[in-house]
Amino acid sequence: PKSFILISMLSTAYMAHFNAPKFYTELKDNTIKRYNTVVGTSFALSIITFIAITAMGFLTFGANASGLILNNYANTDILASLSRIAVAISIVFSYPLAFVGVRDGVMDLAKVPQESRTNANLNKLTVGLLSFITFLALKVSDLSFVLSFGGATLGNALIYMYPTLMFRSAVKKMGDKATPSLKGEAKLGLGVAALGVVMGAIGAGMAIKSL
């Protein structure tokens, strides 16, 4: 069903996992309780915002809604034009937050030692990654495909698979110190990871078929 495409898109709406440690470190009086309050409030506001915008866009254009809803509005629409400017400003200032996570992840996967992460090497990697991403952006014009396929693959991996596998590994390292409840939760996590694989496969397949 095409609803899986929407579910995959929603996965991209809440992907901030890669910046979670940084947010916790930079939080004033960073206790777990305060951090949970920040996360809960942020997610609640995000959910309300996304629901409101999605509902208004669908109620206005129905099945003809574009992957980028602003494309449905005429270029002569002043409010829509102001919204496009606002989106552009938002992307310019929020993109570095996401990009730093990608760049650090690439270096971690390549096992680049900390002493080799000089400003010169960081700049070279930044230029290379930005060039590659810009090339893809010029070739892929359907934003809905990018969101749905990215959500089905990377989104599901970040939300359902990696956290549960990391938790299972942590419990395993605890050995006999792990309580029965923790061991049971680790087994339950495998089911959640499997669910993420199934949802990701279906969502990715539906996204490709929609091209």
Side-chain angles (χ1 to χ4, degrees), residues 63-136:
N64 294 317
S66 173
L68 178 60
I69 198 65
L70 289 175
N71 289 341
N72 284 104
Y73 291 91
N75 293 331
T76 55
D77 191 313
I78 296 177
L79 291 178
S81 297
L82 292 175
S83 297
R84 293 186 181 97
I85 295 173
V87 169
I89 294 174
S90 174
I91 291 174
V92 167
F93 287 100
S94 63
Y95 188 84
L97 293 174
F99 181 79
V100 166
V102 173
R103 188 186 65 186
D104 291 347
V106 169
M107 290 189 292
D108 289 340
L109 287 174
K111 297 182 180 179
V112 178
Q114 197 66 38
E115 56 272 16
S116 297
R117 302 187 183 190
T118 61
N119 288 335
N121 289 334
L122 288 175
N123 290 337
K124 292 177 183 177
L125 180 59
T126 297
V127 172
L129 288 175
L130 282 176
S131 299
F132 177 69
I133 294 171
T134 303
F135 173 77
L136 291 179

Side-chain angles (χ1 to χ4, degrees), residues 25 45-46 99 103 165 171 211:
T25 302
L45 291 174
S46 297
F99 181 79
R103 188 186 65 186
L165 294 177
V171 172
L211 288 175

